[in-house]
Amino acid sequence: MLCTIISANNIYGCYRASDADVDCFLKTHKNDLIWYNKLEDVECNLIFQLKSTATIKNLKIHNISSNEVLPKSIYNGISYMTLRYDVLFGYSKLIPEIVGNFDIKKSLDMPKIQTDLSPPYLVVHIADVVTYCLYTESECKFMGDSPIGIKFIRNLIDYDTLNIDKMLNIGDNSTVDFLISDIYKDGYDSVGLPKNCIAASLAKASCAEYCAKEDLFKSLIIAFAFDITHHAIIYAQMNGLDTIAYLGDLVNVENVCKIIHFAAMFRSSMGVNSAFFKYPQYIAPLGMAEIGETN
């Protein structure tokens, strides 16, 4: 059985274990497990997420999230998954009225579409650090990273991963974000700024009498999506790419994917395709096992 150990969304190692070894691990570390998951259709891949790094140190499993190793594991993981499974989905390009009016609420109604990926394209790996890699037919090359990763959100607001879609549907970021209409009372049409365009994230939070958790969370997700896609569009344009593929944490949450796609469309003036992997948190671990970094 292929097993993967992760902590705080960092991959710490992969190894192959017998069912007896797995049972022993579950019993020994049951108080330190956040969750574990078994993917029936991915060769019984078992994923453990642990509460603390202390258990990781006891297991003597090394962190693989380096600029040298991570691109290799992403390349092998994508190759492994795309050869065996239907792992991709995307969203149709947003109509200009939605993007031009900064209508994120309407963008959440977009249906999924099947999509294909043909190299080269940009891969965005979302974890504690967001990593950007150029994926070609022969390699995955590190392009750069951003220090504003998923811990940026987790350390600011506590949330239940099972309720993210619901929080994004009911959240209203306009209660905490400073909008163009807060400055000009309406849109600034002459320079293409609609009234509900965000001028400054969370700028109204400090002076609000009450901030709903859902409103704060939605504001953070939107800010995070725009930060991710800002870097992604630059790297894509530098390499003449029109497709960006996302994997890692939160990519399995549908409404987060839609907001990322919206941000990419807004940043690129409608000139980019977005693709998302269906097993986003498993691709790098599977690739890690493929290149033999085992314990």
Side-chain angles (χ1 to χ4, degrees):
M1 182 180 295
L2 175 64
C3 299
T4 302
I5 307 294
I6 62 176
S7 178
N9 300 300
N10 272 337
I11 305 159
Y12 279 85
C14 299
Y15 64 98
R16 294 192 178 275
S18 66
D19 290 344
D21 289 336
V22 171
D23 289 340
C24 179
F25 181 90
L26 290 174
K27 291 176 182 177
T28 305
H29 301 287
K30 63 181 180 180
N31 294 327
D32 201 30
L33 283 172
I34 297 176
W35 56 262
Y36 70 95
N37 191 23
K38 185 176 181 181
L39 276 184
E40 298 292 346
D41 57 344
V42 188
E43 295 190 355
C44 295
N45 189 40
L46 195 65
I47 308 294
F48 300 98
Q49 185 172 6
L50 305 173
K51 294 178 183 177
S52 68
T53 56
T55 305
I56 296 295
K57 292 176 181 177
N58 292 337
L59 291 171
K60 297 180 180 179
I61 294 177
H62 58 282
N63 190 331
I64 68 162
S65 298
S66 71
N67 294 345
E68 294 181 2
V69 179
L70 185 60
K72 293 179 183 178
S73 65
I74 289 174
Y75 177 80
N76 285 283
I78 290 175
S79 301
Y80 179 94
M81 294 290 276
T82 53
L83 283 174
R84 293 165 174 80
Y85 308 103
D86 173 25
V87 296
L88 288 167
F89 67 90
Y91 296 98
S92 57
K93 288 191 175 182
L94 298 172
I95 59 174
E97 288 77 9
I98 292 178
V99 177
N101 290 312
F102 207 82
D103 200 335
I104 290 178
K105 188 172 182 179
K106 285 187 178 179
S107 74
L108 295 182
D109 295 329
M110 288 186 299
K112 286 182 182 178
I113 60 172
Q114 292 300 118
T115 186
D116 295 316
L117 278 180
S118 298
Y121 53 85
L122 188 76
V123 174
V124 180
H125 181 263
I126 302 172
D128 289 352
V129 174
V130 179
T131 307
Y132 303 87
C133 297
L134 172 62
Y135 183 92
T136 68
E137 291 182 351
S138 59
E139 66 174 347
C140 194
K141 181 181 178 182
F142 174 79
M143 298 298 297
D145 55 30
S146 170
I148 301 179
I150 197 60
K151 272 192 176 179
F152 165 76
I153 298 175
R154 276 218 173 92
N155 289 337
L156 289 175
I157 188 168
D158 182 35
Y159 62 89
D160 183 350
T161 55
L162 298 178
N163 292 326
I164 292 177
D165 274 330
K166 180 180 178 181
M167 292 175 72
L168 291 175
N169 276 322
I170 66 177
D172 180 7
N173 63 292
S174 67
T175 65
V176 293
D177 289 341
F178 208 61
L179 307 182
I180 291 297
S181 60
D182 293 317
I183 303 173
Y184 301 107
K185 306 301 181 184
D186 205 343
Y188 198 163
D189 297 332
S190 62
V191 294
L193 293 174
K195 63 181 181 180
N196 54 350
C197 185
I198 297 173
S201 297
L202 296 177
K204 290 192 290 191
S206 61
C207 55
E209 292 185 5
Y210 169 76
C211 296
K213 182 177 181 179
E214 294 81 4
D215 298 349
L216 288 169
F217 182 74
K218 189 169 186 177
S219 174
L220 286 171
I221 288 292
I222 293 171
F224 186 53
F226 270 81
D227 181 74
I228 290 171
T229 55
H230 173 73
H231 292 82
I233 295 300
I234 291 174
Y235 288 123
Q237 290 177 345
M238 286 171 56
N239 292 277
L241 307 174
D242 62 0
T243 299
I244 301 172
Y246 301 86
L247 59 90
D249 197 43
L250 291 183
V251 178
N252 56 337
V253 180
E254 187 170 359
N255 280 340
V256 174
C257 295
K258 291 177 179 180
I259 290 175
I260 289 174
H261 178 56
F262 175 92
M265 298 291 282
F266 189 88
R267 289 285 193 195
S268 65
S269 300
M270 314 289 289
V272 69
N273 299 309
S274 301
F276 300 87
F277 287 92
K278 292 180 181 176
Y279 301 112
Q281 64 272 55
Y282 305 129
I283 288 176
L286 284 169
M288 197 64 206
E290 287 289 297
I291 62 176
E293 293 286 334
T294 59
N295 281 280

